[in-house]
Amino acid sequence: MQWWPDAAPERVVLLGVSALACGISSAYLGDNYKLFVPGLPFHIFETMSIFTLPITVLAVLSNITAVSRLLQAKRGLALKAATTPPPTSSAGKKVAATLLLVGSTLFTHSVGVGATPLPDPSFPTPKGIANQLFYLQRDPNTNTVIYQLNVNGAGKLNEDEPIRIFWIRYAEQGQRQDLDFIQRKFAYGVNAKKLAPEKYELKFFAYGKIRFYLMRSSTDKAFHVYTTVANQQMVLDRIFLRIEGGTFWVPNVKYVELTGWNPATREPVVRRFNV
């Protein structure tokens, strides 16, 4: 529904009639005619109002129409997305790869199997970080995103924001750095929803189809992040995105890998996802 017609003639006629009526009124009432209401310190009408009031109405209705069109476009895009099958072509894979590089660092379909990975000497393992839950690494550099349990000096969990996220810039003298707004809200950030005391559901802002859970272990009494892949539960230690070639906007993403351990047996678990 539109609040104002698209066609320009109606607007031209409105402005023309208003200008004509303003001119005629000025000839009969005078250019400085003003109408006052007893008790008010200002006038409520003047000759020029015959021209300015229609312009004001035109401006308001035009903006309402613009907002209406934006909402219609949003509904149209949502309907198209709901009825269009996911891309399977190489172009679709490139789009998914771009999202992964910018920050989703997550998954399209699982093809991995449990295995013990060989350590990659080019990527450091973060050490000495108190309350570290897991970390994230990706090509083309060794800069690492740390996901840390957010507790105060007394060891009490911050229930409103249970996870603190920051960089270790290994490629830049190894200093720590907070995520910027874009990285926090659209890439590496997570949303924590409290399900029960000391239990949270975690979803990456960039990709929310796979659920992670922050819980306290019944064995070591420490907090860990759990997920289930291929019907196997694992405690998450690391997320890694392997990129080989391509460009910044269209990287050649080879795979995404989750590394952790089985909470029942403590055996290493690796799950790899191709793009």
Side-chain angles (χ1 to χ4, degrees):
M1 180 176 61
Q2 294 184 177
W3 294 92
W4 191 252
D6 287 326
E10 290 86 348
R11 305 183 187 189
V12 173
V13 170
L14 176 63
L15 295 177
V17 171
S18 301
L20 182 62
C22 182
I24 295 174
S25 299
S26 298
Y28 284 95
L29 300 176
D31 294 336
N32 296 322
Y33 174 79
K34 296 180 180 179
L35 177 63
F36 290 87
V37 173
L40 293 180
F42 53 86
H43 63 276
I44 62 171
F45 180 83
E46 60 181 351
T47 306
M48 185 58 65
S49 299
I50 298 175
F51 184 64
T52 58
L53 286 177
I55 293 179
T56 302
V57 173
L58 175 62
V60 171
L61 293 180
S62 296
N63 281 279
I64 292 175
T65 298
V67 173
S68 176
R69 288 172 178 170
L70 289 174
L71 294 176
Q72 288 178 0
K74 180 181 178 181
R75 288 192 292 267
L77 290 173
L79 179 61
K80 181 178 179 181
T83 57
T84 302
T88 57
S89 63
S90 59
K93 291 184 178 181
K94 290 181 178 179
V95 171
T98 300
L99 293 175
L100 287 168
L101 176 62
V102 172
S104 68
T105 63
L106 290 175
F107 331 105
T108 54
H109 59 281
S110 172
V111 297
V113 295
T116 302
L118 294 175
D120 188 338
S122 63
F123 286 89
T125 299
K127 296 180 180 179
I129 301 176
N131 299 309
Q132 176 180 299
L133 295 169
F134 64 96
Y135 61 98
L136 183 150
Q137 294 176 322
R138 78 283 181 274
D139 295 313
N141 57 55
T142 57
N143 292 335
T144 300
V145 184
I146 303 295
Y147 295 79
Q148 179 187 49
L149 191 69
N150 190 10
V151 296
N152 60 21
K156 182 176 177 58
L157 180 66
N158 184 330
E159 296 184 357
D160 295 327
E161 191 176 353
I163 295 182
R164 179 173 178 253
I165 309 172
F166 59 91
W167 287 99
I168 296 184
R169 312 293 291 189
Y170 286 114
E172 304 162 22
Q173 289 75 52
Q175 73 271 23
R176 296 190 182 188
Q177 179 180 315
D178 290 333
L179 273 63
D180 62 31
F181 178 82
I182 298 297
Q183 294 165 348
R184 188 172 64 253
K185 293 298 184 181
F186 299 100
Y188 306 109
V190 296
N191 177 55
K193 177 182 178 181
K194 188 173 183 179
L195 302 178
E198 299 187 336
K199 182 177 181 180
Y200 296 82
E201 181 186 55
L202 308 178
K203 291 193 295 184
F204 279 84
F205 284 117
Y207 191 93
K209 293 185 178 180
I210 293 184
R211 300 295 191 267
F212 299 87
Y213 296 92
L214 173 64
M215 300 183 293
R216 188 186 293 274
S217 171
S218 59
T219 54
D220 62 9
K221 307 303 179 182
F223 278 96
H224 301 288
V225 173
Y226 297 80
T227 189
T228 300
V229 181
N231 296 321
Q232 181 180 5
Q233 188 181 52
M234 65 182 294
V235 176
L236 185 64
D237 278 337
R238 181 191 190 222
I239 298 176
F240 178 71
L241 175 64
R242 170 66 71 186
I243 301 170
E244 296 181 2
T247 66
F248 177 83
W249 295 111
V250 188
N252 182 26
V253 180
K254 301 297 292 184
Y255 59 82
V256 179
E257 187 174 80
L258 300 182
T259 304
W261 43 277
N262 187 313
T265 64
R266 312 283 301 188
E267 295 179 351
V269 176
V270 177
R271 288 292 180 268
R272 184 172 294 182
F273 300 83
N274 287 350
V275 176

